[in-house]
Amino acid sequence: MSATWATTWPSSTATGGDTVYIVSRRSSAERRPRLLEEVRDLADRVLLPLTLDDPADIEASIDSSGCPDIAYMAVGRLQGSREELLQANAVIPRRWAQVLSRRCSSTLYVYVSSTLAVGDAGGCSMGDRVVEERPHLYGCRPLGAYGYSKMEGERGVIDVCRRSRLSVAVLRPGLLVGGWCYHAEWRAMYRLARLHIRIRGGPYIHATPARDIAVAARLLRDRMGDKLCGWFYATPWRGRLGRLHEMLERHLGVRSAIPLPLPGLLPRLRLPGLPEALVELSGQKDRVFEPLALEKLGMRWRSMDEAVREAAQWLKTHMKGSTAPS
């Protein structure tokens, strides 16, 4: 459940397009050769340093490609020990920010966090609506090891931003919806769809069209000036997990399914990390996170139905036994 591909950055070309470089651990690429080939089809170049946390390796990656306009830090783990989560979600992002602050101060560094970094938002919100709180994470209480590690990751990169000329934007998405949907929730929903089973109800979740992360970052770069240290919700959709599953099955072509409650399905799914994630989500069941600041800047989110259609197409193409029943 870890996000292997660590950092991507587009830099403007003469034609107005983007040149995309992807940096990954060499060991991760060697363990996942199929994924490496897919990434090479997407990127202009793939860089494979020995590590993602050694400053010398980070500097070498930057020197080989030049300073990006936008650097997306999307490395992360969803499960593991407390130390492993902190290393992936806090230590590595801060070290990249530190090196970029010395070598590429004109870069916008985007740390892709999570709404779970806020944890129980009762102490840092007004009522049941949560917008960008001031000051950063004041009063928020983490709910689990993953959320805590993301909270520490946010604090680390914001601290670098405040101490340097580097611009930093923390984006807090919910469940990412679209292509490359590796999260356990998508694997679970796909397996159930193949069995003609539909989740009934389920927890309320926040969700984000995956491709809109890049749109939001470009918007911030263009509208917020030369220096930015901010955190922004990127969660335009909220609903029950069962509603998302219903949309997925429709786009997979599943014509009929038996609705079953999620608690009874969990023992059958056998997906590591999923029960823990649902526990953290339950701590935010009464909160609605609104991307108010981004919308004021003119952000227009694509529809969740369109994003789910992209997810369904990716799952049909890449999951084992990909043909969904009709």
Side-chain angles (χ1 to χ4, degrees):
M1 290 177 64
S2 63
T4 304
W5 305 103
T7 311
T8 67
W9 59 77
S11 55
S12 298
T13 64
T15 60
D18 287 334
T19 302
V20 178
Y21 297 91
I22 294 179
V23 183
S24 169
R25 284 187 188 90
R26 188 177 301 175
S27 58
S28 296
E30 291 171 350
R31 289 197 309 270
R32 300 170 176 86
R34 175 185 169 191
L35 182 58
L36 176 61
E37 291 306 311
E38 292 176 12
V39 169
R40 280 180 168 152
D41 288 340
L42 292 173
D44 295 274
R45 188 177 176 190
V46 177
L47 308 175
L48 299 173
L50 288 174
T51 70
L52 292 177
D53 56 0
D54 187 295
D57 286 341
I58 298 172
E59 290 177 359
S61 294
I62 294 171
D63 289 344
S64 68
S65 59
C67 289
D69 289 340
I70 305 176
Y72 297 89
M73 174 50 66
V75 68
R77 292 181 68 105
L78 293 172
Q79 66 173 359
S81 69
R82 186 182 180 90
E83 292 71 24
E84 289 171 332
L85 289 167
L86 283 171
Q87 176 71 13
N89 297 333
V91 174
I92 290 175
R94 181 172 185 134
R95 288 183 181 168
W96 275 84
Q98 289 170 333
V99 174
L100 283 166
S101 71
R102 297 192 298 267
R103 308 291 286 270
C104 303
S105 59
S106 62
T107 291
L108 172 61
Y109 179 88
V110 178
Y111 176 56
V112 182
S113 184
S114 167
T115 56
L116 293 178
V118 183
D120 179 0
C124 57
S125 65
M126 297 293 292
D128 64 347
R129 301 280 164 170
V130 187
V131 294
E132 285 70 34
E133 74 286 340
R134 299 289 190 272
H136 180 232
L137 292 173
Y138 177 78
C140 296
R141 181 177 64 85
L143 293 171
Y146 171 77
Y148 172 74
S149 66
K150 280 294 190 180
M151 177 182 279
E152 289 302 302
E154 286 194 19
R155 286 174 171 159
V157 299
I158 289 294
D159 180 66
V160 172
C161 185
R162 288 170 173 164
R163 295 170 180 266
S164 69
R165 295 174 55 197
L166 183 71
S167 289
V168 171
V170 172
L171 290 180
R172 293 177 185 150
L175 177 67
L176 292 175
V177 185
W180 294 79
C181 42
Y182 275 102
H183 282 182
E185 293 91 335
W186 291 109
R187 298 202 304 275
M189 289 191 287
Y190 183 80
R191 290 179 186 178
L192 292 172
R194 286 180 51 79
L195 296 172
H196 288 267
I197 295 173
R198 178 173 300 156
I199 296 171
R200 187 178 71 200
Y204 279 99
I205 65 168
H206 293 86
T208 304
R211 285 198 288 154
D212 282 347
I213 294 295
V215 176
R218 292 187 182 94
L219 186 68
L220 289 168
R221 178 194 61 189
D222 296 340
R223 300 289 181 87
M224 296 296 286
D226 295 332
K227 176 62 175 176
L228 167 65
C229 289
W231 41 95
F232 305 88
Y233 287 108
T235 52
W237 187 89
R238 181 176 185 264
R240 289 192 180 276
L241 185 63
R243 173 60 182 143
L244 211 58
H245 196 209
E246 181 183 346
M247 283 191 276
L248 177 65
E249 290 194 332
R250 174 163 49 83
H251 287 299
L252 288 172
V254 178
R255 297 176 183 174
S256 62
I258 300 171
L260 294 176
L262 187 59
L265 293 171
L266 283 177
R268 303 181 186 180
L269 295 178
R270 298 179 182 177
L271 287 171
L274 182 56
E276 292 85 352
L278 293 175
V279 168
E280 288 197 300
L281 286 170
S282 68
Q284 297 182 347
K285 63 181 179 180
D286 299 322
R287 311 289 176 191
V288 179
F289 297 89
E290 295 184 320
L292 185 60
L294 286 171
E295 291 183 352
K296 285 183 177 179
L297 291 174
M299 184 69 193
R300 296 292 180 266
W301 305 93
R302 72 190 70 239
S303 73
M304 189 51 55
D305 191 67
E306 178 184 351
V308 173
R309 184 173 67 248
E310 293 175 359
Q313 185 59 48
W314 191 89
L315 288 164
K316 285 192 292 186
T317 304
H318 293 87
M319 287 287 286
K320 291 182 179 179
S322 60
T323 303
S326 59

